[in-house]
Amino acid sequence: MSWKDEYKRKLCSMKEAVSHIKSGDRVVVTHACGEPSAMLDVMVENAARYENVEIVHMVAMGGAKYCLPEMEKHFRHNSLFVGGSTRKAVEEGRGDFTPVYFSEVPNLLRTTLYPNVLLMHLSPPDEHGFCSYGISVDYTKPAAEVADLRIAQINKNMPRTMGDSFIHVSKLDHIVEHDAPIIELQPPQISEVERAIGKNCASLVRDGDTLQLGIGAIPDAVLLSLKDKQDLGIHSEMFSDGVVDLVEAGVITNRCKTLLPGKSVVTFLMGTRRLYDYVHDNPEVQMMPVDFVNNPAVIAQNDNLVSINSCVQVDLFGQVVSESVGLRQISGVGGQVDFVRGANLSKNGRTIMAMPSTAQGGKVSKIVPLIDTGASVTTSRYDVNYVVTEHGVAQLKFRTLRERARQLIDIAHPDFRPSLIEEFEKRFKSKF
Ligand code: COA
């Protein structure tokens, strides 16, 4: 049978597609802006037919209605990265959180959270019958290699991304055509504080460096401060619209990269239609599975790799909390530690934790004598190097505890320095 006939045979309605999910199944879902949210909505509309279905994914962007209290009997969310719409379910014990490095999610799915069903979101097939995983290749491709049942939403708005980013129609079990707009993430408003953090981070970036950037206002502010650099490269878990500006300005060329020169390497994308149009059919952007992109040994093959991530709290020893506020799980490790480790192994690599010096409208310092009770250390004091706030740069690696504390107090908010100095003098039995 030709792939075209196979495609027609597998076509069905969304309602029929989700009817193949059975009570007790584990359903893995493509995440972030690549989420097939229309399919999840239809699954939730038909909740009465399911009991105890486990929904596994990372970043939820489509509302996560299966996390609502009234869905408790039908669905239980197992989160690999808690976010706005899933936080409450985890906090109230109606959902679970599994701590896992992003690079290890494929292994988690192969060995422990074996998917009965995979719900994914693909581009239409090319003339050979290959669909692209589009803007979320990360764990979707590895999951498709092991799932019992593969259900795909085919959407002509999904960009056809290049790289190790394709699945053949013959590997799909059920196909739904649905051309909804792809979820977009609008560029954030950048405050003066974030602009200052961006400038301080940019002072650590050199011409020819390869960058990993997280998500949000700080990475965007860093990109704004890089307009005068030359020949930057990208090897990053994700990127957003800010990278397109720097490619168009001729700043990102990937020319000096020591791994896959000439290519931006990435595992998922979140941004606006402008980003999605930029990556469509663009061989300069290589979308690869996350166990390649985030593998510290692969990251380290990039000389001059600079990783820039954000965090919630740093104590005076340099322990970094990035995913919890006290006992409250607010996100996950994502690729932070993957890239910190990779950057530490990279020749001339640098790892940066960038954060505003205060949180909650200036009421609390993010630099603290001790981390909050119950908080989890995400990046250890052995791995951390540069910490950046709007007040400057602290360089912690290979420094004594006293030197670390002194440098961190120097970049804390001035309102909190006196109490931190008092703590310093008590702890180190010496004048600041
Ligand atoms: N004390 C108390 N509350 C704090 C706090 C602190 N020190 N720091 C942050 N918070 C609160 C904020 O007030 C906010 O609460 P709200 O949602 O009720 O308003 C919440 O925590 C989130 O903080 P915010 O500063 O808005 O987060 P952000 O969107 O800038 O993201 C991280 C910051 C650290 C949560 C995010 O970068 C992350 O999840 N990092 C880990 C994963 C990672 O690095 N991945 C790699 C690349 S994608």
Side-chain angles (χ1 to χ4, degrees), residues 90 124 136 154 158 161 234 331:
V90 173
S136 284
I154 303 281
M158 180 60 83
T161 56
I234 298 288
S331 64

Side-chain angles (χ1 to χ4, degrees), residues 211 335 423:
L211 306 179
E423 178 64 28

Side-chain angles (χ1 to χ4, degrees), residues 324-366:
S324 55
V325 175
L327 269 174
R328 192 168 164 245
Q329 190 70 43
I330 63 158
S331 64
V333 61
Q336 179 168 123
V337 173
D338 295 332
F339 274 91
V340 166
R341 291 188 173 154
N344 280 334
L345 291 168
S346 150
K347 188 175 168 198
N348 296 322
R350 274 141 281 150
T351 175
I352 302 171
M353 284 297 153
M355 61 172 190
S357 63
T358 62
Q360 297 183 340
K363 284 206 282 285
V364 298
S365 174
K366 291 186 130 197

Side-chain angles (χ1 to χ4, degrees), residues 108-372:
L108 169 87
L109 300 176
R110 284 180 205 120
T111 63
T112 311
L113 295 184
Y114 182 83
N116 301 111
V117 180
L118 172 66
L119 300 182
M120 52 189 164
H121 200 171
L122 306 174
S123 77
D126 61 18
E127 67 269 32
H128 305 291
F130 285 94
C131 302
S132 163
Y133 288 101
I135 56 173
S136 284
V137 177
D138 45 52
Y139 61 80
T140 304
K141 182 170 191 286
E145 283 154 13
V146 293
D148 292 333
L149 199 73
R150 301 164 196 87
I151 302 178
Q153 176 185 337
I154 303 281
N155 186 338
K156 65 173 190 266
N157 298 312
M158 180 60 83
R160 182 170 176 274
T161 56
M162 306 282 103
D164 188 7
S165 176
F166 295 97
I167 183 166
H168 195 261
V169 163
S170 58
K171 303 268 169 43
L172 304 175
D173 294 292
H174 303 288
I175 295 172
V176 179
E177 286 181 343
H178 186 71
D179 296 328
I182 304 296
I183 297 172
E184 295 188 33
L185 181 75
Q186 297 303 323
Q189 291 287 337
I190 296 173
S191 68
E192 278 313 306
V193 166
E194 285 147 357
R195 216 171 276 277
I197 296 169
K199 274 199 191 128
N200 288 336
C201 290
S203 73
L204 299 168
V205 176
R206 305 173 195 138
D207 292 343
D209 280 348
T210 293
L211 306 179
Q212 174 260 327
L213 296 149
I215 178 181
I218 290 176
D220 278 35
V222 175
L223 290 169
L224 281 180
S225 301
L226 295 176
K227 292 201 165 124
D228 297 329
K229 306 282 177 190
Q230 284 177 17
D231 286 323
L232 298 179
I234 298 288
H235 183 108
S236 188
E237 163 180 325
M238 59 89 59
F239 65 74
S240 203
D241 290 41
V243 161
V244 185
D245 295 330
L246 288 192
V247 171
E248 287 177 354
V251 175
I252 292 175
T253 62
N254 292 306
R255 197 174 65 84
C256 302
K257 285 181 78 180
T258 50
L259 178 72
L260 295 168
K263 313 276 184 196
S264 288
V265 175
V266 64
T267 200
F268 77 103
L269 298 159
M270 290 175 92
T272 68
R273 191 67 233 173
R274 178 175 170 234
L275 174 72
Y276 305 153
D277 289 341
Y278 163 70
V279 298
H280 177 70
D281 258 336
N282 184 347
E284 277 188 336
V285 180
Q286 293 287 298
M287 299 280 298
M288 311 292 271
V290 71
D291 45 356
F292 175 83
V293 176
N294 280 35
N295 178 340
V298 171
I299 295 166
Q301 291 173 45
N302 293 282
D303 292 353
N304 309 304
L305 192 288
V306 181
S307 89
I308 306 175
N309 291 295
S310 194
C311 59
V312 168
Q313 234 174 23
V314 180
D315 74 9
L316 291 180
F317 301 129
Q319 299 193 96
V320 178
V321 173
S322 307
E323 50 180 303
S324 55
V325 175
L327 269 174
R328 192 168 164 245
Q329 190 70 43
I330 63 158
S331 64
V333 61
Q336 179 168 123
V337 173
D338 295 332
F339 274 91
V340 166
R341 291 188 173 154
N344 280 334
L345 291 168
S346 150
K347 188 175 168 198
N348 296 322
R350 274 141 281 150
T351 175
I352 302 171
M353 284 297 153
M355 61 172 190
S357 63
T358 62
Q360 297 183 340
K363 284 206 282 285
V364 298
S365 174
K366 291 186 130 197
I367 293 176
V368 288
L370 297 170
I371 59 174
D372 288 357

